[in-house]
Amino acid sequence: MLRITGVLPAIILLAGILPGPSLAAQEETASSWDQVARSVTIYRDAWGVPHIFGPTDSSVVFGHLYAQAEDNFWQLEENFILATGRGAEVHGEKSLPADILVRALEIRRLSIEEYERSSPALRERCDAFAGGLNY
């Protein structure tokens, strides 16, 4: 479980950047995310904390990431940049050692392999995570 926990965040981040489907498939996927979005309710309490309600686990994951992007997109973007070993492109030479480590550990390759080995239910949630962010 520890190994999955360490790689899963990278899997989720990378799920949105895997080689893309055709334009027709993208339009079909966008349409299905529209359906998921309509099935999710995001209620913000008096303190602005989002409470996500949906008919499935995947729809709640989708809503969670959508709300997270509304509130903290800058942090999600920063985490994505660092997790893909591209920190030096944004932060300059000081981030190069971390980028080298991320690339030496082959996190992208291992994340994709882990995603492909995952159960259909976990892949569905990872896709919903990326879908909520992209939506």
Side-chain angles (χ1 to χ4, degrees):
M1 187 61 158
L2 181 60
R3 187 162 104 12
I4 291 174
T5 304
V7 177
L8 189 58
I11 293 170
I12 293 168
L13 287 171
L14 293 171
I17 63 165
L18 295 174
S22 68
L23 184 57
Q26 288 176 9
E27 289 172 359
E28 183 179 321
T29 300
S31 174
S32 68
W33 289 129
D34 285 338
Q35 289 178 326
V36 173
R38 283 192 295 276
S39 75
V40 174
T41 300
I42 300 173
Y43 165 75
R44 291 184 182 270
D45 63 22
W47 295 276
V49 176
H51 300 268
I52 317 299
F53 300 92
T56 65
D57 289 346
S58 292
S59 65
V60 173
V61 169
F62 175 93
H64 167 75
L65 250 293
Y66 185 85
Q68 184 72 13
E70 284 183 320
D71 296 345
N72 298 304
F73 184 78
W74 68 271
Q75 186 65 62
L76 293 168
E77 183 179 41
E78 176 72 8
N79 291 344
F80 177 81
I81 290 166
L82 298 176
T84 55
R86 299 179 66 185
E89 293 177 33
V90 176
H91 303 294
E93 201 171 308
K94 68 183 179 190
S95 293
L96 191 56
D99 288 350
I100 291 169
L101 178 61
V102 167
R103 291 173 186 220
L105 293 174
E106 299 184 48
I107 291 173
R108 184 176 200 280
R109 180 186 63 77
L110 294 172
S111 297
I112 292 168
E113 287 176 7
E114 189 81 30
Y115 173 83
E116 290 171 349
R117 276 195 314 270
S118 297
S119 69
L122 181 57
R123 278 200 313 264
E124 182 180 318
R125 289 183 190 111
C126 289
D127 293 344
F129 192 102
L133 180 61
N134 291 332
Y135 192 79

